């Protein structure tokens, strides 16, 4: 029996030491009301509906919250463009059109540039490190502070792991090949590409394939083999580059309208928070489990040409990335605090990973 029904059936007075244990009559009443209160929420997302790992990740989050709350929070999930356009999720949740959103923080670079620190940092921390910074290094506190004035409560709610470098219709052998290259690449990676001579474009997922096929763009990055196979990019471009220097992980975000969150009783607030944490890990596991099989399919069944970025090109990107990050850090007081926190965490994390994960990878 679901908990809310159980509470209804046996009545609050018979519960002692549990969720609605309270002595004064009035308190008992209000707590019982709170336990019986249910919430109908809308979740707008930046993903095509039910898209592997991303759309299904948003579905998983909604379903988990529903089940953990015993049906007290019911969330209807909308794909990008269904209720609001994919790149308007931030505004829709901020103004209360929807109570909740699922997207990537770097999509809001034009509105909140500092949000990009919580999405993906070129040559920055991977998923393991990013989670460590967010949950145990002060990152989430800074993110919460940044979004507060936009009426939003953020939680990490999905990691992609290291992405692929992207799809190209020609080989990238030297920096010359980057000149004038029109590429779909969002966030700070796009800024880096621009400084290296390319022309970045920000397109929502739903427009990427057609743009590549029609030649509107020369190249695109998306996520990794599992997602890119589903999109069918191999039909429009032949060369598939690695590594994803621009997104060593993308940390996807759940945003919750602040009033909607504040209106929840404490136990439901905790359920939302923990469900986001579970979704964050679940998506990383999903990508990690499926990427290699998808890559083999791309190479063996679709004749995709796998290529590694030349070292000289990566070195040039890294040089520009340092400039881009320093400038973003200098752009505001809070930007500076976020950047300093990120940077110092990344430095000490690298020292530890060098003698743990990296040494182990080489040894096994
Ligand atoms: Ca990407």
């Amino acid at each position: 029996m679901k908990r809310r029904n159980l509470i209804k059936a046996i009545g609050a007075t018979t519960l002692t030491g549990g969720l609605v244990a309270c002595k004064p009559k009035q308190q008992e009443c209000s707590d019982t009301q709170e336990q019986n209160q249910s919430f109908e929420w809308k979740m707008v997302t930046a993903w095509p509906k039910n898209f592997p790992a991303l759309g299904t990740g948003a579905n998983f989050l909604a379903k988990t919250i529903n089940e953990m709350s015993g049906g007290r929070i019911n969330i209807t999930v909308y794909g990008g463009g269904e209720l609001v356009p994919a790149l308007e999720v931030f505004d829709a949740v901020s103004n209360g059109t929807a109570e909740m959103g699922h997207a990537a923080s770097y999509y809001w670079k034009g509105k909140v540039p500092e949000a990009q620190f919580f999405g993906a940092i070129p040559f920055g921390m991977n998923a393991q490190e990013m989670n460590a910074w967010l949950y145990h290094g002060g990152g989430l506190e800074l993110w919460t502070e940044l979004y507060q004035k936009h009426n939003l409560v953020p939680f990490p709610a999905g990691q992609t792991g290291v992405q692929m470098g992207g799809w190209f219709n020609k080989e990238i052998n030297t920096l010359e090949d980057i000149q004038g290259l029109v590429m779909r690449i969002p966030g700070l990676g796009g800024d880096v590409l621009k400084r290296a001579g390319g022309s970045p474009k920000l397109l929502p997922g739903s427009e990427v394939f057609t743009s590549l096929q029609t030649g509107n763009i020369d190249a695109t990055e998306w996520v990794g083999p599992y997602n890119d196979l589903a999109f069918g990019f191999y039909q429009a471009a032949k060369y598939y580059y690695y590594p994803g220097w621009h997104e060593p992980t993308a940390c996807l975000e759940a945003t919750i309208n602040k009033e909607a969150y504040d209106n929840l009783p404490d136990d439901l607030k905790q359920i939302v928070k923990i469900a986001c944490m579970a979704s964050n890990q679940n998506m990383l596991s999903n990508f990690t489990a499926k990427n290699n099989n998808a890559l083999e399919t791309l190479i063996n069944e679709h004749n995709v040409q796998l290529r590694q970025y030349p070292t000289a090109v990566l070195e040039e990107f890294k040089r520009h990335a340092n400039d881009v990050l320093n400038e973003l850090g200098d752009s505001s007081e809070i930007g500076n605090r976020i950047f300093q926190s990120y940077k110092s965490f990344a430095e000490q994390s690298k020292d530890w990973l060098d003698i743990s994960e990296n040494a182990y990878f080489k040894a096994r």
Side-chain angles (χ1 to χ4, degrees), residues 106 163 184 186 221-223 246-247:
Y106 50 62
Q163 300 200 357
R184 183 270 177 194
E221 69 79 56
W222 179 238
V223 180
H246 61 301
E247 299 194 59

